C-alpha cells in the first residue's frame, strides 16, 4: 500500500449562484491547510466540488430560464474560475452529476437497502427546499424553516418514499463521539451534537418523487435520491470507494464546513451512513463559524453576497497593490480576523486597518527597509554574517514550533499571530541595531550581521506565510533573490536559521503592500470663539495655521548642507518636499515610514537650493531635536486642531 494521503474536504456547494465570501471562506481555509501540509511533506488530497442535484438548483435554473444541465455546467465552470482566481489549489473537484458519482450513490443505496437499513414507507411532513431538509412538526416555527440562517416557508410533503434507519445508529454515534475526543471540533459544537442525538433520532426519508432532476432510485425511476444522501457520498466518490487505492485516501483527515450543516448532516446522518456501509469514519469533522458582512447576514436579497474577487479589486484600487496580492490580502484577512470556529464579521474598515497595520507597516517594513539598506550599503549582495543575532534566532525557531502546533490544532489565526510576533521582533531588532548608524560608523561586520539576520527572518516568515498568501510570498521571495523556487521550500526549511545564502544578490525593494491612504477629512464647522486677550494667539490666528499629519516616504541628506535632511512627505493625496534641520540626530533610513506633524501652509522657502514646502515640528530637548509623532495610527493628511 502507498502512503496514506492527508485528505481534506470542503462541502460541495449548491450551484444556485456564484460563490460569495461565505463559501470562499471554507475553501480558503482548506487551501491554506493543504498548502501547509504539503510543506510538511505530506501527500495531500484536497477536494472540493459542486452539489448539483438539489431541487433548489433545478428551481434556480428555471428562474434563469435555462435547462438545468446547461445551468449547472455554467455555474460549475464559474466555481472553478473563482477558485482559481482566489489561488485555490485543489487536487480533486467533483460534480455530483458526474457518472462516477451517480454510480456510487446508487450502489450505496442498494447496499443499505439489502442490509435493511433502507426501507419503504410513506413520508408525510415538512420540507424546506432552501435548506433541502426534512423537519418534524415540532421543529417548524410559524410555518417556517427553524434554521435561523434560513427562515423560509416550509412545504407539506406526502410521498411514498424510502427511509434510512437513522434511529438505529443513535447509540453507536454517541459511543463513537465519546471514544474519539478529536472527532468533532470545535469542542463547544460537540456538545450541541451530543444533545441533538440524545433528543432522539428519527428515521430520515432519503428519496423524493422524480420531477425530472436528481439521481434515480435503482429500479424505480419515478423516485430520485434525496440530495443530502447523494451529496454526502461525494467524499468517498472522490477517494475511489470500492476501488483499489481507496485506503490511501480515506478516511478523511479533516472535513471542513460551516456550522449550518454540521450537527444534523455531517455529525449525524453522514457517520451513520458510513457505519451502515461499513466504511471507517472521518478523523475530524470541523464546524466553523458564520461570517456576516458589516454586521448583517450575507444574503442575495440584501445584495451583500459580495464576491471575494470584487473585494480584492476594490482593495487593489485603493492601495495600488496588484490584484493577485489583493486576493492574498483577503485570504490573510479571513484567516487572521477570527479564531477558527467562531462567528466573525467582515467589514471594509477592519480589512483596511489590517492591511495598513499588519501588511503595509509590519510585514512591508521588515522586507522593504532591509532591502533598501542592502541596496544602499551592500549593492544588494547578501552579506556573510559575522555573528548570530541570538535573540532573533531563538524567537524565529520558537515561532516555527508554535505555528506548527497551531496548525495541528486548526488554530490558523494563532499561527498568524505567532508569525507576526516574529515580524515585530525583526522590526524591533532593526530599530535597536540601527544599521544606518553602523554604516555611518563604518562597523562593517556588525552591519553585515544585522542585515543578514533581518533578511533571514524575512526568509523564514516568507515560507511560513506562503500557504496563506501564496502570490505575495512569491513576490517577497523574488525580492529576496533566492534562486530555489519557493514552492520547493519545506516546513523544515522554514524553521532552519541560516539557510539564506550569503553572496546571492537580492532584487530591488518594491512595496508589495502599498499603504491605503485616506483622503483628508473635510473640515468641520468651528464654533465662534470669544476674542482672546491680546498677548495670546487669537483663535483665528491659530486657525490660520494648517497643521497636518504627514508620512515620511523618502529621506536623504541635503546635497549642500550637513545639518539638513531633505524629506519627501505624503499628505495622503499629495506629496511634498521639506527641508528639516535634524540631520545631527536622525539618520534618513530611520525616518522612512514615520508619521510627523507638519506645518503645511508655511510659505515655501528655498533652503540651500532645495525648495521646502512646509515645516516639520520637533521638540527642543536641550538643543536636540525630537520629532513629534502621533500616538496611534492616524491617516496621512489628517488635520490637527
Ligand atoms: O450546504 N459564513 O451548500 P451551500 C461562513 N450543498 N461560511 C459560509 C457562509 C457564511 N456566511 N455561507 C456559506 C450546502 N458558507 C450543501 C453542502 S456537503 C456534502 C453539501 C460555507 O452552497 C460553509 O462552509 O449552502 C457552509 O457550510 C457552506 O458554505 C454551505 O454551502
Amino acid at each position: 500500500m502507498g502512503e496514506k494521503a492527508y485528505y481534506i474536504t470542503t462541502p460541495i456547494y449548491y450551484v444556485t449562484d456564484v460563490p460569495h465570501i461565505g463559501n470562499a471562506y471554507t475553501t480558503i481555509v482548506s487551501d491554506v491547510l493543504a498548502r501547509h501540509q504539503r510543506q510538511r511533506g505530506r501527500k495531500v488530497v484536497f477536494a472540493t466540488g459542486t452539489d448539483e442535484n438539489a431541487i433548489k438548483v433545478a428551481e434556480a435554473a428555471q428562474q434563469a430560464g435555462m435547462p438545468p444541465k446547461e445551468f449547472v455546467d455554467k455555474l460549475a465552470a464559474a466555481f472553478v474560475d473563482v477558485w482559481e482566481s482566489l489561488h485555490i489549489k485543489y487536487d480533486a473537484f467533483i460534480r455530483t452529476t458526474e457518472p462516477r458519482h451517480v454510480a456510487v450513490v446508487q450502489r450505496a443505496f442498494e447496499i443499505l437497502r439489502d442490509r435493511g437499513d433502507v426501507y419503504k414507507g410513506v413520508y408525510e411532513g415538512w420540507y424546506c427546499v432552501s435548506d433541502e431538509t426534512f423537519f418534524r412538526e415540532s421543529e417548524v416555527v410559524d410555518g417556517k424553516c427553524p434554521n435561523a440562517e434560513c427562515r423560509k416557508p416550509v412545504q407539506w410533503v406526502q410521498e411514498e418514499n424510502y427511509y434510512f434507519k437513522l434511529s438505529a445508529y443513535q447509540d453507536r454515534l454517541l459511543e463513537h463521539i465519546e471514544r474519539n475526543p478529536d472527532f468533532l471540533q470545535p469542542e463547544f459544537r460537540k456538545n450541541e451534537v451530543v444533545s441533538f442525538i440524545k433528543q432522539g433520532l428519527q428515521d430520515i426519508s432519503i428519496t423524493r418523487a422524480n420531477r425530472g432532476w436528481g439521481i434515480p432510485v435503482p429500479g424505480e425511476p419515478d423516485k430520485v435520491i434525496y440530495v443530502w444522501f447523494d451529496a454526502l457520498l461525494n467524499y468517498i466518490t472522490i477517494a475511489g470507494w470500492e476501488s483499489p487505492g481507496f485506503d490511501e485516501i480515506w478516511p478523511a483527515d479533516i472535513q471542513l464546513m460551516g456550522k449550518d450543516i454540521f450537527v444534523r448532516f455531517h455529525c449525524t446522518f453522514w457517520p451513520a451512513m458510513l457505519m451502515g456501509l461499513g466504511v471507517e469514519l472521518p478523523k475530524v469533522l470541523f464546524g466553523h463559524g458564520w461570517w456576516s458582512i458589516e454586521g448583517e447576514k450575507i444574503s442575495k436579497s440584501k445584495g451583500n453576497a459580495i464576491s471575494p474577487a470584487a473585494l480584492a479589486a476594490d482593495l487593489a484600487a485603493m492601495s495600488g497593490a496588484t490584484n493577485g496580492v489583493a486576493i492574498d490580502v483577503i485570504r490573510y484577512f479571513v484567516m487572521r480576523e477570527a479564531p477558527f470556529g467562531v462567528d466573525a464579521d467582515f467589514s471594509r474598515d477592519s480589512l483596511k486597518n489590517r492591511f495598513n497595520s499588519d501588511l503595509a507597516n509590519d510585514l512591508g517594513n521588515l522586507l522593504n527597509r532591509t532591502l533598501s539598506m542592502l541596496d544602499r550599503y551592500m549593492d544588494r549582495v547578501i552579506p556573510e554574517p559575522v555573528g548570530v543575532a541570538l535573540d532573533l534566532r531563538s524567537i524565529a525557531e520558537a515561532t516555527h514550533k508554535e505555528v506548527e502546533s497551531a496548525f495541528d490544532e486548526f488554530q490558523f489565526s494563532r499561527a498568524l499571530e505567532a508569525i507576526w510576533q516574529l515580524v515585530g521582533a525583526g522590526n524591533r531588532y532593526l530599530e535597536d541595531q540601527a544599521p544606518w548608524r553602523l554604516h555611518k560608523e563604518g562597523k562593517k561586520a556588525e552591519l553585515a550581521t544585522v542585515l543578514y539576520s533581518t533578511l533571514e527572518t524575512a526568509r523564514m516568515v516568507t515560507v511560513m506565510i506562503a500557504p496563506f498568501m501564496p502570490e505575495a510570498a512569491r513576490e517577497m521571495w523574488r525580492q529576496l533573490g533566492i534562486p530555489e523556487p519557493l514552492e520547493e521550500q519545506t516546513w523544515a526549511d522554514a524553521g532552519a536559521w541560516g539557510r539564506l545564502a550569503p553572496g546571492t544578490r537580492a532584487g530591488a525593494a518594491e512595496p508589495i503592500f502599498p499603504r491605503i491612504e485616506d483622503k483628508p477629512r473635510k473640515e468641520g464647522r468651528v464654533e465662534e470663539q470669544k476674542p482672546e486677550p491680546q498677548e495670546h494667539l487669537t483663535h483665528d490666528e491659530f486657525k490660520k495655521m494648517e497643521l497636518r499629519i504627514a508620512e515620511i516616504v523618502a529621506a536623504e541628506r541635503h546635497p549642500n548642507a550637513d545639518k539638513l535632511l531633505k524629506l519627501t512627505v505624503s499628505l495622503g493625496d499629495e506629496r511634498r518636499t521639506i527641508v528639516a534641520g535634524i540631520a545631527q540626530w536622525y539618520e534618513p533610513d530611520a525616518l522612512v515610514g514615520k508619521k510627523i506633524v507638519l506645518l503645511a501652509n508655511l510659505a515655501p522657502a528655498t533652503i540651500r537650493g532645495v525648495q521646502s514646502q512646509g515645516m516639520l515640528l520637533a521638540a527642543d530637548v536641550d538643543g536636540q531635536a525630537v520629532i513629534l509623532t502621533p500616538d496611534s495610527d492616524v491617516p496621512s493628511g489628517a488635520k490637527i486642531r
Side-chain angles (χ1 to χ4, degrees), residues 289-309:
W290 210 243
W291 282 88
S292 53
I293 289 197
E294 311 284 354
E296 294 209 41
K297 185 180 141 182
I298 303 177
S299 91
K300 228 171 120 181
S301 51
K302 282 209 175 81
N304 66 355
I306 310 175
S307 93

Side-chain angles (χ1 to χ4, degrees), residues 8 40 46-47 106 117 128-129 246 308-309 329 331 407 568 580 583 627:
I8 307 172
R40 301 254 291 256
F46 157 32
Q106 291 181 330
D117 260 346
C128 169
V129 174
F246 178 62
V329 176
R331 290 172 60 110
F407 263 100
T568 309
I627 61 175

Side-chain angles (χ1 to χ4, degrees), residues 10-16 20-26 51 56 79 228 231-235 256-261 266 288-292 298:
T10 73
I12 48 170
Y13 305 104
Y14 289 127
V15 281
T16 44
H20 56 65
I21 189 81
N23 327 112
Y25 177 57
T26 322
D51 189 351
K56 69 177 187 177
F79 269 77
W228 270 103
L232 287 162
L233 289 166
N234 91 83
Y235 303 129
L256 295 143
M257 73 222 68
K259 64 180 183 182
D260 57 330
I261 55 176
H266 282 86
H288 65 68
W290 210 243
W291 282 88
S292 53
I298 303 177

Side-chain angles (χ1 to χ4, degrees), residues 211-428:
R211 294 181 181 82
W213 190 244
I215 300 180
V217 171
E220 292 183 49
D222 63 323
K223 294 185 180 61
V224 290
I225 292 170
Y226 171 48
V227 70
W228 270 103
F229 183 90
D230 149 3
L232 287 162
L233 289 166
N234 91 83
Y235 303 129
I236 59 170
T237 303
I238 288 178
W241 177 51
E242 293 199 313
S243 318
F246 178 62
D247 297 345
E248 287 167 29
I249 299 181
W250 192 262
D253 291 79
I254 179 163
Q255 302 206 263
L256 295 143
M257 73 222 68
K259 64 180 183 182
D260 57 330
I261 55 176
F262 185 64
V263 177
R264 202 180 279 264
F265 296 114
H266 282 86
C267 300
T268 310
F269 190 23
W270 175 227
M273 282 169 71
L274 288 171
M275 285 172 175
L277 292 170
V279 175
E280 220 180 308
L281 301 199
K283 291 187 193 152
V284 174
L285 291 165
F286 200 111
H288 65 68
W290 210 243
W291 282 88
S292 53
I293 289 197
E294 311 284 354
E296 294 209 41
K297 185 180 141 182
I298 303 177
S299 91
K300 228 171 120 181
S301 51
K302 282 209 175 81
N304 66 355
I306 310 175
S307 93
L311 279 168
D314 283 358
L315 190 76
M318 275 192 293
S319 63
T322 65
N323 225 28
V325 166
I327 291 278
D328 281 359
V329 176
I330 306 282
R331 290 172 60 110
Y332 169 78
F333 179 83
V334 295
M335 300 302 293
R336 176 66 185 82
E337 189 67 1
F340 191 52
V342 304
D343 293 350
D345 184 53
F346 192 104
S347 84
R348 286 191 161 81
D349 273 353
S350 33
L351 174 66
K352 202 175 81 186
N353 289 342
R354 279 219 177 275
F355 179 81
N356 275 350
S357 70
D358 300 5
L359 300 172
N361 272 5
D362 299 347
L363 184 60
N365 246 344
L366 180 70
L367 189 70
N368 213 255
R369 276 171 101 185
T370 322
L371 284 176
S372 337
M373 288 189 264
L374 187 72
D375 187 3
R376 258 196 309 279
Y377 307 150
M378 314 210 149
D379 198 21
R380 290 199 210 151
V381 178
I382 308 230
E384 181 86 50
V386 177
V388 176
L390 282 176
D391 284 357
L392 200 52
R393 176 183 178 155
S394 69
I395 295 172
E397 287 166 353
T399 301
H400 181 257
K401 285 204 186 75
E402 166 64 8
V403 172
E404 185 172 317
S405 85
F407 263 100
D408 289 343
E409 291 163 32
F410 312 114
Q411 282 307 310
F412 310 107
S413 62
R414 209 179 84 208
L416 285 171
E417 270 169 45
I419 300 172
W420 255 254
Q421 273 173 17
L422 175 59
V423 170
N427 279 326
R428 268 194 311 281

